Amino acid sequence: MRNKFAFLLGAALLIMPSALLAQEKGGVINVATIGEPPTLDPMASTADLVGIVSQHIFETLFTFNKNWKVTPLLADSMPDISADGKTYTIKLRTGIKFHDSSEMTSDDVVASLNRWTKVASRGKQTAGIIDSITAVDPSTVKIVLKQPYAPLLSLLAFNNSAAIIIPAKHQEDPMTVFIGTGPYMLKERKADQYIQLVRFDGYRSRDGEADGYGGARHQYLDEIRFVPVPDANTRVEAAVAGQYDYVDSLPVESFDRVKGSTASQPVMLKPFGYPVFVFNTANGITKNVDIRKAVRTALSMEDMLAAAFGSTDFYSLDAALYPKPYAWSTDAGTKGAYNVADPEAAGALLKKAGYNGEPLRILTSRQYEFHYKMAQVAAEYLKQAGFNVDMQVVDWATLTQRRADPKLWDIYITHSPFLPEPALMGQMSTSSPGWWDTPARKTAVDAFNSAVDPDKRQAAWADVQKVIYDEVPLIKIGDFNALAAKSQKLEGVEAAPWPYFWNASIKK
């Protein structure tokens, strides 16, 4: 299993540059993002945009290396785990400074992890399983669980809904002071203009080589500016012209234009992840599983993907939540439930559900243009099935705010990278927007989370996927590649699900 993951997941992550010693120090880079993040508190959001920016400011006890294995970051080493799998003893690195120059201790870690279990959707996922989080001494923390819980370290390592470590004296919710231990610190934020990060001179990198999100984090750049550029076409033109040093989330059909640019070069991550329609299972018409099945039955995934990505060079039809050759790949539950494209059969399900023409509120954004294109195609199929479609097109920050209120929507459109651990998927948490919480979900997810043996976990994941297809809390549309662009002068940045700019430098 270990070898499988090294092979399977390494392809989806990062290749670190080998000539870091040749990189030069100094300079400022401008990074074009899809918009303004709704918050800079990565505990409070699962939005990728939040994680991309905040991972430079805040750090976690663990992170992922280039093969998607958990590796220490603020922890000194991997934890000592008791024989019964319930007690994790974590030694901390010493001499780590926060951006206010105070030194990190176990008290900060305990306070931060307690906040995580209350604020973060992934922290709430673990709250009922954690018995206690205590400081053993200034550089040691102990987490005691009520039962074995295999995903704990992956949840502690993830960079959104993240278990960031912040000073014990700054645990407010919402966050008011943005102080972390990261290589860059927040200097200024001008709404809808830029987020300015500057080098933190008190930063202590890990020793050794850079290793994915782990290992050494070099601070070659003086400053990183994240600039919101909501319009996808504007991002494309900016990439071709070399207006920014890095441009995130480009429509894949712009690949040839970017490739032909003298200023920028394409950055392709293949495969990246999957678009997904998330249902509100707690409120409104989609609380009814037959309504959700009617939506899925009506849709043509093939037409949506073609509209969103154009060429099959950039997408593929795939019902499994993980594609081959990922170790988690399984076809459990998918037969006859994917790419059905049968509005007439969907209409029959609507009658069974007692549908009376209530608006089906679909929440989407044009900042991810492929979301919007899929929504347009979906709307036509859904209208043919008899749905009264209410398309609500908003900016991404507004979407992430609205989806937190179960009274405001029925479906929201998003996407996810292929994550190293299925427990990281949003819908695995009952507090994630969508609020999927049923007895079948609990039975399957609890069995998966408590399984420690890799082969048993694979079999348990197949059971979870089957329940997802049975109860339809979400619809996976297919697999797709992600495209970004970087300046010809930018070094040390490779394709990554959440691009990062420690270890980046500018060719002089």
Side-chain angles (χ1 to χ4, degrees), residues 41-45 54 58-63 73-75 90 104 108-117 119-124 126 130 133 143 152-166 171 175 181 424:
D41 179 358
M43 280 195 197
S45 178
S54 65
F58 304 105
E59 294 180 312
T60 47
L61 293 174
F62 306 95
T63 188
L73 184 55
L74 290 176
I90 303 169
M104 182 190 77
D108 302 301
V109 174
V110 170
S112 298
L113 294 183
N114 281 324
R115 182 180 189 268
W116 179 64
T117 63
V119 173
S121 61
R122 293 187 176 93
K124 292 175 184 177
T126 68
I130 294 174
I133 305 170
I143 302 175
L152 179 63
L153 291 180
S154 291
L155 289 164
L156 291 173
F158 203 41
N159 78 346
N160 66 46
S161 191
I164 57 168
I165 307 305
I166 55 180
Q171 297 288 325
M175 184 179 282
T181 61
L424 297 171

Side-chain angles (χ1 to χ4, degrees), residues 92-163:
L92 307 175
R93 293 168 62 202
T94 57
I96 299 298
K97 300 282 188 182
F98 289 110
H99 297 157
D100 63 359
S101 296
S102 63
E103 188 165 330
M104 182 190 77
T105 71
S106 56
D107 288 340
D108 302 301
V109 174
V110 170
S112 298
L113 294 183
N114 281 324
R115 182 180 189 268
W116 179 64
T117 63
K118 296 178 180 70
V119 173
S121 61
R122 293 187 176 93
K124 292 175 184 177
Q125 221 172 305
T126 68
I129 295 161
I130 294 174
D131 186 60
S132 63
I133 305 170
T134 56
V136 177
D137 59 45
S139 60
T140 310
V141 170
K142 182 180 289 186
I143 302 175
V144 179
L145 307 179
K146 297 174 184 176
Q147 62 193 55
Y149 187 67
L152 179 63
L153 291 180
S154 291
L155 289 164
L156 291 173
F158 203 41
N159 78 346
N160 66 46
S161 191

Side-chain angles (χ1 to χ4, degrees), residues 4-297:
K4 269 188 190 176
F5 275 118
F7 168 69
L8 306 179
L9 300 173
L13 236 183
L14 340 155
I15 302 169
M16 293 306 303
S18 59
L20 285 172
L21 292 176
Q23 291 175 252
E24 299 186 62
K25 197 166 185 177
V28 176
I29 65 166
N30 290 284
V31 178
T33 65
I34 62 105
E36 181 79 9
T39 178
L40 289 182
D41 179 358
M43 280 195 197
S45 178
T46 59
D48 288 343
L49 179 56
V50 174
I52 288 169
V53 177
S54 65
Q55 66 186 341
H56 298 82
I57 304 170
F58 304 105
E59 294 180 312
T60 47
L61 293 174
F62 306 95
T63 188
F64 294 102
N65 68 14
K66 64 185 178 184
N67 292 320
W68 278 121
K69 292 181 180 178
V70 175
T71 189
L73 184 55
L74 290 176
D76 184 66
S77 55
M78 294 300 288
D80 177 44
I81 305 175
S82 63
D84 64 2
K86 295 182 183 179
T87 301
Y88 289 64
T89 303
I90 303 169
K91 294 294 293 183
L92 307 175
R93 293 168 62 202
T94 57
I96 299 298
K97 300 282 188 182
F98 289 110
H99 297 157
D100 63 359
S101 296
S102 63
E103 188 165 330
M104 182 190 77
T105 71
S106 56
D107 288 340
D108 302 301
V109 174
V110 170
S112 298
L113 294 183
N114 281 324
R115 182 180 189 268
W116 179 64
T117 63
K118 296 178 180 70
V119 173
S121 61
R122 293 187 176 93
K124 292 175 184 177
Q125 221 172 305
T126 68
I129 295 161
I130 294 174
D131 186 60
S132 63
I133 305 170
T134 56
V136 177
D137 59 45
S139 60
T140 310
V141 170
K142 182 180 289 186
I143 302 175
V144 179
L145 307 179
K146 297 174 184 176
Q147 62 193 55
Y149 187 67
L152 179 63
L153 291 180
S154 291
L155 289 164
L156 291 173
F158 203 41
N159 78 346
N160 66 46
S161 191
I164 57 168
I165 307 305
I166 55 180
K169 62 186 177 184
H170 292 304
Q171 297 288 325
E172 300 84 4
D173 179 30
M175 184 179 282
T176 57
V177 178
F178 300 89
I179 292 174
T181 61
Y184 291 86
M185 57 185 182
L186 179 65
K187 181 176 181 181
E188 185 176 26
R189 180 178 186 178
K190 286 198 172 182
D192 299 317
Q193 293 185 51
Y194 60 80
I195 296 169
Q196 180 187 19
L197 308 185
V198 296
R199 182 191 294 115
F200 172 43
D201 290 331
Y203 182 70
R204 283 191 57 193
S205 170
R206 293 193 71 92
D207 295 332
E209 296 295 317
D211 185 13
Y213 292 94
R217 293 184 169 189
H218 297 285
Q219 302 165 282
Y220 296 115
L221 301 169
D222 296 328
E223 184 179 316
I224 307 167
R225 286 196 179 209
F226 293 93
V227 182
V229 184
D231 183 75
N233 292 327
T234 303
R235 289 199 301 278
V236 172
E237 297 306 320
V240 172
Q243 185 177 348
Y244 298 96
D245 300 281
Y246 191 93
V247 183
D248 195 30
S249 192
L250 295 174
V252 290
E253 60 266 26
S254 65
F255 180 86
D256 288 339
R257 286 203 65 208
V258 176
K259 189 176 181 182
S261 167
T262 58
S264 300
Q265 57 184 283
V267 180
M268 180 71 80
L269 189 60
K270 180 179 181 179
F272 170 76
Y274 57 98
V276 60
F277 285 22
V278 178
F279 286 105
N280 183 347
T281 68
N283 204 300
I285 62 172
T286 52
K287 188 175 180 178
N288 185 323
V289 68
D290 286 322
I291 296 284
R292 303 199 297 269
K293 287 182 177 179
V295 172
R296 185 177 65 191
T297 300

Side-chain angles (χ1 to χ4, degrees), residues 334-348:
T334 62
K335 188 175 181 181
Y338 178 78
N339 196 37
V340 180
D342 190 342
E344 186 175 341

